[in-house]
């Protein structure tokens, strides 16, 4: 029997698709890679009985790592069906998957086709089964356009980011940003925000005057009339019109017009509109909105959430989608009585971008199923869909025109005729207004008041996320999938802050960067070049432009711009000097330099670091934790005073040599390692002296004793966030030179006070293995450390420890399996 490998983008998708296609009869096992599950069943494919294996890639669209072992499931397979997301990024992943699996698949017979691509827009039985019967091929041109975009963004972004980060962080101490990043899309996005900021700062309010009139008729409430001239910018002219109008005691009705108007129902929902509404109405960031939308999609509640299309396909089952909402307690009555019984309205014609259908609900749901934010987004998507097939909102607008002396005034009002779609989208409804008095041409009203009002023009407000999304779409900055990423980046880099109403206010750093780009090369921040590049990338996806030519041409342009930027950086530096403090004037003295033995200053602003003003050297430190002096102890290699990094009283801590952290002293070490990973053979702070055993959770870490943790002693993994608490209230804990005969972990020597010793027979000292010694059985507890950030330091490959003082080397420690099972019971 031949085998078909099917690959989805996420484990949850793979499970859902396998259950639909196998009609629930698939079996599930852990994949041979130990990471992704495999769902298996038998069925028919290209006219023969086959065995299906459904699995997923390990990673996400933006960060996939196709290591060979992840696709051992492909070995011996005859066909592959790619169920990756149906957008350009998904096509790109298709070819990444094929590069990894084709070398281990069975060879095809003659010209037999072995690679298939599914196209689907929702995780429903109908859509998945239809996709399986209409399999096509992956689109190489769309994949190449993504390759081009990724390579351009990476190479251009890295070059500018690395240069300006090193240049400015070495000069200024209070930038408060760990990375001074540049991006071909990110920087124009920031440019829009700063452009609005500049308009606000340069705005000069101007006084203007408005003539206001109030009239009445009998018992009716007074009417406030709008002046037809709207406003004047000269007070004397305004006063002249007031004086002229005051000569009349009555206001004459010149005309009464009544006109039936309609407020159009919305067009079908695409990604950009969903992001706009989620930000402005739901208060959700674009990044968070997309995360929620993708979860709703993979769970089968909505259709594919990344689409530019606002037009339903001719074969779209509008009535079937509506019927699924007929029992809702919120909009079910409108669906049943108005739409299904009276007939649905033909949706307005939108734009067909040729990608996915618009975003719609795929099945009924409740708030308890989806959670707070999931429900709020689903609620909006469903209401929007129902609105697109509902009648327009109709209302009657009445306008009365008056003349008072030589001046003309009007007042108007609206009266609802039919709520239409606003019944399900009430926030767009016609506000209830006080009815206008009944009158006709020639009637007169008494003039109660005429006065001149002084007002001022107001500056524009800061851009909201919704307005920024509109600008990005208009200028072709980013795609529907990447727009949330670019907005999130400028927030994470501390270039803008999100204020009330989700307004984006640029920080000093964001303002100075944009002004600096304008000063050196405005093309770096204006949307024009990126918009042109996006058009070229789109031509690649359509097969109308050559991948290599577009890539090389764009890189050549930015290469010249980069060299000019480097040569002209002094222009931006002049702006930096005005807003930020020199690094030598920043921070507080903390520890001594190993070269000049003078105190170095600790700069707490991101990225936290130490600076020696005498040597004019800056030293990196671990991030996202607290730094303090470590008992004035020194590194035996370079004489630098050690500092202690800690994530808090419930977390982990370890000493760091500022010099070794950036300049690894041994070949098996990398930048960003503290003393708990140092392979020095005899230093009392090193891995070799304090390491106890391989981590009980991760494969690469070593549990290292923390000598500063008493009386709540602990050892912590130097790779992951596992912490083992032990021997609470012990007077002293030391790591022995000897190793356990069973598991080869280093023994520990524990001293207790006589009055508080938990040891048997009143003993105060015991030496044994943390994992194997029965005396220590109830004195050890495994926990996950409280980390301020999952990436609290730079990662790296597994580090070993050399031999020392007769103990077993830590380079390949054994994992104490029996004790690990016991410790797991304490896992929290």
């Amino acid at each position: 029997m031949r085998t078909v490998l099917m690959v989805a983008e996420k484990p949850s998708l793979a499970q859902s698709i396998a259950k639909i296609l196998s009609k629930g009869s698939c079996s599930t096992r852990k994949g041979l890679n130990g990471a992704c599950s495999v769902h298996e069943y038998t069925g028919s494919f290209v006219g023969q009985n086959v065995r299906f294996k459904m699995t997923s890639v390990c990673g996400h669209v933006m960060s996939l790592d196709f290591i060979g072992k992840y696709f051992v499931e492909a070995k011996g397979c005859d066909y592959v069906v790619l169920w990756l997301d149906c957008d350009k990024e998904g096509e790109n992943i298709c070819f990444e998957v094929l590069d990894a699996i084709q070398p281990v698949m069975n060879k095809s017979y003659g010209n037999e086709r072995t690679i298939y691509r599914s196209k689907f827009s929702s995780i429903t039985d109908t859509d998945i089964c239809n996709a399986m019967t209409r399999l096509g091929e992956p689109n190489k041109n769309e994949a190449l356009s993504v390759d081009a975009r990724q390579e351009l963004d990476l190479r251009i972004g890295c070059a500018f980011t690395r240069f300006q980060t090193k240049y400015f962080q070495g000069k200024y101490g209070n930038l408060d940003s760990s990375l001074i990043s540049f991006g071909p899309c990110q920087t124009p996005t920031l440019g829009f925000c700063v452009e609005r900021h500049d308009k606000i700062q340069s705005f000069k309010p101007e006084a203007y005057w408005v003539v206001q009139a109030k009239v009445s008729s009998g018992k009716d409430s007074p009417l406030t009339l709008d002046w037809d001239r709207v406003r004047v910018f000269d007070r004397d002219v305004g006063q002249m019109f007031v004086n002229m109008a005051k000569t009349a005691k009555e206001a004459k009705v010149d005309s009464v017009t009544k006109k039936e108007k309609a407020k159009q129902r919305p067009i079908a929902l695409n990604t950009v509109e969903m992001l706009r509404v989620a930000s402005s109405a739901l208060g959700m960031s674009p990044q968070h909105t997309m995360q929620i939308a993708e979860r709703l999609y993979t769970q089968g509640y909505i259709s594919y959430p990344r689409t530019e299309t606002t037009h339903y396909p001719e074969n779209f089952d509008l009535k079937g989608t509506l019927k699924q909402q007929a029992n809702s307690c919120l909009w079910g009555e409108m669906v049943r009585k108005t739409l299904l019984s009276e007939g649905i309205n033909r949706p307005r014609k939108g734009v067909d971008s040729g990608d996915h259908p618009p975003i719609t609900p795929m099945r009924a749901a409740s708030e308890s199923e989806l959670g707070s934010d999931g429900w709020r987004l689903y609620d909006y998507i469903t209401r929007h869909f129902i609105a697109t097939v509902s009648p327009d909102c109709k209302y009657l607008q009445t306008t009365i025109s008056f003349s008072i002396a030589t001046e003309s005034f009007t007042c108007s009002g609206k009266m609802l005729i039919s709520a239409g779609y606003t019944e399900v989208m009430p926030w767009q409804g016609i506000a209830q207004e006080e009815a206008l008095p009944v009158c006709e041409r020639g009637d007169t009203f008494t003039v109660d008041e005429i006065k001149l009002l002084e007002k001022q023009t107001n500056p524009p407000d800061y851009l909201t996320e919704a307005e920024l999304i509109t600008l990005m779409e208009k200028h072709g900055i980013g795609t529907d999938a990447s727009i949330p990423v670019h907005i999130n980046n400028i927030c994470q880099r501390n270039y803008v802050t999100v204020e009330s109403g989700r307004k984006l206010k640029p920080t000093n750093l964001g303002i100075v960067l944009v002004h600096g780009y304008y000063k050196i090369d405005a093309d770096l921040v204006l949307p024009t070049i990126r918009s042109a590049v996006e058009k070229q990338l789109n031509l690649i996806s359509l097969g109308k432009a050559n991948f290599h030519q577009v890539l090389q041409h764009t890189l050549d342009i930015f290469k010249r711009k980069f060299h000019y930027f480097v040569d002209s950086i002094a222009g931006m530096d002049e702006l930096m000097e005005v807003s930020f403090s020199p690094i030598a004037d920043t921070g507080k003295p903390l520890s001594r330099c190993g070269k000049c033995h003078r105190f170095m200053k600790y700069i707490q602003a991101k990225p936290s670091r130490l600076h020696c003003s005498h040597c004019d050297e800056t030293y990196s430190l671990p991030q996202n934790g607290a730094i303090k002096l470590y008992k004035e102890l020194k590194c035996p290699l370079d004489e630098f005073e050690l500092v202690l990094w800690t994530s808090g009283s419930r977390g982990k801590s370890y000493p760091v040599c500022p010099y070794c952290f950036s300049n690894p002293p041994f070949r098996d070490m990398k930048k960003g390692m503290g003393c708990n990973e140092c392979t020095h053979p005899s230093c009392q702070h090193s891995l070799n002296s304090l390491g106890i055993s391989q981590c009980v959770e991760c494969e690469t870490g070593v549990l290292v004793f923390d000598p500063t943790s008493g009386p709540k002693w602990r050892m912590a993994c130097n790779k992951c966030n596992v912490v083992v608490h032990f021997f609470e209230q012990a007077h002293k804990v030391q790591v022995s030179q000897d190793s356990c005969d069973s598991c080869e972990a280093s023994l520990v020597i524990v001293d207790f006070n006589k009055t508080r010793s938990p040891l048997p027979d009143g003993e105060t000292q015991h030496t044994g293995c943390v994992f194997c010694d029965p005396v220590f059985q109830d004195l050890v507890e495994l926990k996950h450390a409280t980390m301020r950030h999952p990436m609290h330091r730079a990662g790296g490959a597994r580090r070993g420890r050399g031999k020392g003082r007769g103990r077993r080397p830590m380079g390949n420690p054994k994992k104490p399996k029996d004790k690990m099972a016991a410790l797991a019971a304490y896992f929290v």
Side-chain angles (χ1 to χ4, degrees):
M1 183 179 291
R2 306 185 82 182
T3 303
V4 180
L5 176 68
M6 302 199 293
V7 184
E9 193 154 313
K10 300 178 183 71
S12 56
L13 274 179
Q15 182 179 19
S16 299
I17 293 169
K19 282 186 176 179
I20 292 171
L21 294 177
S22 68
K23 296 181 172 55
S25 64
C26 63
S27 61
T28 301
R29 61 174 172 82
K30 203 70 175 175
L32 298 176
N33 60 10
C36 304
S37 295
V38 179
H39 312 280
E40 297 178 304
Y41 64 98
T42 57
S44 176
F45 185 77
V46 292
Q48 56 187 313
N49 286 328
V50 297
R51 180 168 69 106
F52 289 99
K53 294 202 298 184
M54 183 77 183
T55 187
S56 61
V57 295
C58 301
H60 187 259
V61 61
M62 296 298 183
S63 57
L64 285 169
D65 186 10
F66 289 93
I67 300 172
K69 71 170 187 175
Y70 287 151
F71 286 94
V72 290
E73 295 294 343
K75 190 173 183 179
C77 289
D78 301 283
Y79 306 97
V80 60
V81 180
L82 300 160
W83 290 85
L84 286 310
D85 282 354
C86 300
D87 54 16
K88 292 175 184 175
E89 285 77 13
E91 297 301 320
N92 187 260
I93 300 173
C94 284
F95 287 93
E96 295 280 3
V97 171
L98 292 175
D99 287 344
I101 68 174
Q102 280 186 300
V104 297
M105 288 178 62
N106 290 339
K107 300 298 180 184
S108 60
Y109 299 116
N111 294 323
E112 183 185 25
R113 180 180 167 197
T114 59
I115 298 169
Y116 295 85
R117 172 73 162 115
S118 67
K119 293 285 185 178
F120 58 101
S121 296
S122 63
I123 314 301
T124 61
D125 292 13
T126 302
D127 209 6
I128 295 301
C129 291
N130 285 342
M132 191 65 181
T133 61
R134 297 194 304 265
L135 296 174
E137 296 181 1
N139 189 316
K140 183 64 175 177
N141 290 327
E142 290 189 354
L144 284 174
S145 72
V146 175
D147 280 338
R149 178 181 288 109
Q150 290 177 346
E151 185 168 348
L152 288 173
D153 289 352
L154 181 65
R155 294 178 68 171
I156 295 168
C158 282
F160 280 88
T161 298
R162 184 167 51 231
F163 171 72
Q164 60 189 28
T165 298
K166 290 183 70 176
Y167 186 89
F168 291 119
Q169 283 187 354
K171 293 192 68 174
Y172 302 102
N174 59 339
L175 295 176
D176 200 25
S177 181
S178 56
L179 199 67
I180 316 298
S181 64
F182 174 93
C185 287
Q186 169 195 302
T187 303
T189 301
L190 174 61
F192 291 131
C193 300
V194 175
E195 181 183 20
R196 177 62 63 88
H197 167 84
D198 290 342
K199 286 181 180 178
I200 294 170
Q201 296 302 306
S202 63
F203 182 84
K204 293 181 180 179
E206 189 176 1
Y208 65 91
W209 287 264
V210 175
V211 177
Q212 185 185 81
K214 287 187 179 180
V215 300
S216 60
S217 174
K219 296 181 180 179
D220 293 326
S221 300
L223 295 177
T224 300
L225 308 183
D226 298 320
W227 190 28
D228 283 7
R229 297 184 192 270
V230 184
R231 62 185 178 180
V232 293
F233 287 90
D234 187 308
R235 188 184 187 285
D236 292 338
V237 173
Q239 188 62 50
M240 177 191 71
F241 286 125
V242 169
N243 294 339
M244 292 169 63
K246 280 184 174 180
T247 61
K249 300 299 182 184
E250 292 182 329
K252 182 181 177 182
V253 177
D254 291 334
S255 66
V256 179
T257 58
K258 295 187 177 183
K259 189 174 183 180
E260 185 176 310
K261 292 191 172 183
K263 190 173 184 180
Q264 280 191 315
R265 59 197 180 278
I267 58 175
L269 184 65
N270 67 2
T271 304
V272 169
E273 181 63 15
M274 178 184 71
L275 295 176
R276 274 196 288 251
V277 173
S279 176
S280 60
L282 305 182
M284 293 164 57
S285 73
Q287 182 91 335
H288 182 57
T289 300
M290 284 309 300
Q291 290 170 349
I292 297 294
E294 286 173 3
R295 176 169 62 81
L296 293 176
Y297 161 66
T298 57
Q299 292 174 343
Y301 290 104
I302 65 172
S303 61
Y304 192 64
R306 291 198 287 268
T307 178
E308 298 175 5
T309 294
T310 56
H311 180 73
Y312 295 116
E314 294 302 321
N315 61 350
F316 191 88
D317 187 6
L318 294 170
K319 188 169 286 188
T321 306
L322 266 179
K323 285 180 179 178
Q324 294 176 336
Q325 305 296 331
N327 295 322
S328 168
C329 60
L330 297 173
W331 45 72
E333 185 175 353
M334 178 185 177
V335 169
R336 291 192 306 272
K337 295 183 178 179
T338 305
L339 299 178
L340 293 178
S341 62
E342 298 178 10
I344 63 175
N345 278 266
R346 185 178 181 85
R348 288 171 55 198
K349 186 172 178 60
V351 175
D352 184 358
S353 298
D355 50 357
H356 283 271
I359 304 168
T360 59
M362 299 311 299
R363 59 187 173 104
S366 64
E367 185 172 0
S368 59
E369 290 176 71
L370 305 183
S372 176
D373 284 351
W375 168 253
R376 290 166 66 217
L377 187 60
Y378 174 86
D379 176 270
Y380 166 68
I381 291 169
T382 304
R383 289 179 184 274
H384 190 108
F385 166 70
I386 296 172
T388 62
V389 294
S390 298
D392 291 342
C393 172
K394 294 180 180 179
Y395 61 94
L396 183 68
Q397 180 163 302
T398 302
T399 303
I400 306 175
S401 298
F402 293 88
S403 60
I404 304 175
T406 60
E407 293 307 294
S408 299
F409 298 84
T410 58
C411 70
S412 60
K414 297 173 183 176
M415 185 177 70
L416 184 66
I417 298 174
S418 170
Y421 82 90
T422 63
E423 185 178 337
V424 75
M425 297 179 81
W427 60 89
Q428 292 191 13
I430 302 299
Q432 190 70 27
E433 296 179 351
E434 192 170 333
L436 293 177
V438 177
C439 61
E440 57 186 32
R441 183 180 179 184
D443 288 352
T444 59
F445 283 65
T446 302
V447 177
D448 296 331
E449 179 183 51
I450 295 180
K451 62 182 179 180
L452 190 66
L453 300 179
E454 182 178 353
K455 298 185 178 183
Q456 275 194 334
T457 55
N458 295 314
D461 212 336
Y462 284 103
L463 280 180
T464 63
E465 283 176 333
E467 291 169 331
L468 179 58
I469 290 167
T470 300
L471 284 172
M472 294 174 72
E473 181 189 34
K474 176 183 175 182
H475 292 280
I477 301 300
T479 64
D480 52 5
S482 66
I483 282 175
V485 176
H486 303 314
I487 296 176
N488 185 63
N489 281 343
I490 64 173
C491 296
Q492 294 294 316
R493 300 286 188 262
N494 194 34
Y495 295 162
V496 299
T497 57
V498 182
E499 306 290 316
S500 175
R502 301 211 67 83
K503 295 183 179 73
L504 301 172
K505 183 178 181 181
T507 62
N508 276 345
L509 179 58
I511 294 166
V512 170
L513 283 174
V514 169
H515 289 175
Y517 295 133
Y518 272 116
K519 190 173 182 180
I520 298 172
D521 182 356
D523 281 344
L524 295 176
V525 72
L526 290 172
T528 46
I529 282 192
R530 184 60 191 198
S531 179
V533 170
E534 287 290 346
K535 290 177 181 176
Q536 291 297 311
L537 295 175
N538 191 51
L539 289 176
I540 292 175
S541 70
L542 297 172
K544 296 179 180 179
N546 182 275
F547 165 80
H548 296 288
Q549 289 177 354
V550 170
L551 186 66
Q552 194 57 51
H553 176 67
T554 308
L555 288 175
D556 286 344
I557 291 173
F558 274 94
K559 186 177 181 180
R560 289 194 291 270
K561 288 185 173 296
F562 174 72
H563 288 305
Y564 182 75
F565 180 74
V566 171
D567 293 339
S568 309
I569 193 65
M572 184 181 284
D573 198 22
E574 290 172 359
L575 302 177
M576 286 280 187
E577 286 177 346
V578 176
S579 300
F580 301 102
S581 304
I583 196 167
D585 298 338
T586 312
K588 297 179 180 179
L590 179 68
S591 64
R592 291 186 184 272
C593 171
K595 296 179 181 179
C596 66
H597 303 292
R598 289 177 170 84
F599 277 105
M600 297 188 293
K601 286 185 175 180
Y602 172 49
I603 300 166
Q604 199 165 359
K606 289 182 180 179
S608 58
R609 54 207 188 277
L610 287 166
H611 178 72
C612 177
S613 55
H614 184 265
C615 301
D616 195 21
E617 294 279 357
T618 303
Y619 300 96
S620 300
L621 293 171
Q623 302 297 302
N624 303 301
I627 294 286
K628 56 186 178 181
L629 192 61
Y630 186 51
K631 304 178 184 177
E632 298 185 354
L633 297 172
K634 295 181 179 180
C635 174
L637 296 173
D638 48 47
E639 292 292 303
F640 275 75
E641 282 188 339
L642 303 180
V643 295
L644 186 73
W645 179 91
T646 177
S647 63
S649 58
R650 296 177 58 198
K652 58 194 284 188
S653 57
Y654 54 84
V656 175
C657 169
Y659 187 81
C660 294
F661 190 77
S662 298
N663 303 276
F666 303 108
R667 289 183 179 178
D668 56 353
M669 293 179 63
K670 293 184 178 180
K671 284 186 178 181
M673 292 188 178
C675 297
N676 63 341
E677 294 182 89
C678 177
T679 54
H680 192 290
S682 60
C683 175
Q684 61 177 320
H685 316 294
S686 71
L687 170 66
N688 194 62
S689 298
L690 299 177
I692 292 178
S693 165
Q694 183 180 343
C695 178
V696 295
E697 285 292 317
C698 70
E699 293 294 329
T700 60
V702 175
L703 293 170
V704 182
F705 174 57
D706 180 357
T708 69
S709 57
K712 296 183 178 181
W713 303 97
R714 64 191 175 217
M715 58 180 174
C717 178
N718 60 7
K719 290 289 188 297
C720 70
N721 60 343
V722 162
V723 172
V724 177
H725 294 269
F726 51 21
F727 317 125
E728 187 170 348
Q729 303 302 329
H731 173 65
K732 187 177 182 181
V733 178
Q734 294 174 279
V735 181
S736 169
Q737 299 180 18
D738 301 318
S739 301
C740 173
D741 293 334
S742 299
C743 72
E744 300 187 20
S746 297
L747 303 182
V748 293
I749 307 167
V750 187
D751 284 306
F752 284 96
N753 290 324
K754 194 167 188 178
T755 56
R756 306 182 70 175
S757 175
L759 299 176
D761 302 325
E763 292 182 5
T764 59
Q765 186 184 86
H766 185 77
T767 301
C769 175
V770 171
F771 304 101
C772 304
D773 196 318
V775 174
F776 290 157
Q777 181 73 37
D778 298 323
L779 303 179
V780 180
E781 182 180 6
L782 171 68
K783 288 190 176 183
H784 266 184
T786 303
M787 304 302 294
R788 298 189 185 184
H789 191 281
M791 297 297 292
H792 67 281
R793 57 157 179 75
R798 176 176 178 175
R799 265 70 79 174
R801 183 179 76 171
K803 296 188 177 184
R805 300 187 297 178
R807 279 191 292 154
R808 183 182 179 276
M810 295 300 295
N812 186 26
K814 288 186 178 179
K815 181 177 289 190
K817 295 180 181 177
D818 296 337
K819 187 61 179 181
M820 183 180 72
L823 287 175
Y826 293 96
F827 203 88
V828 295

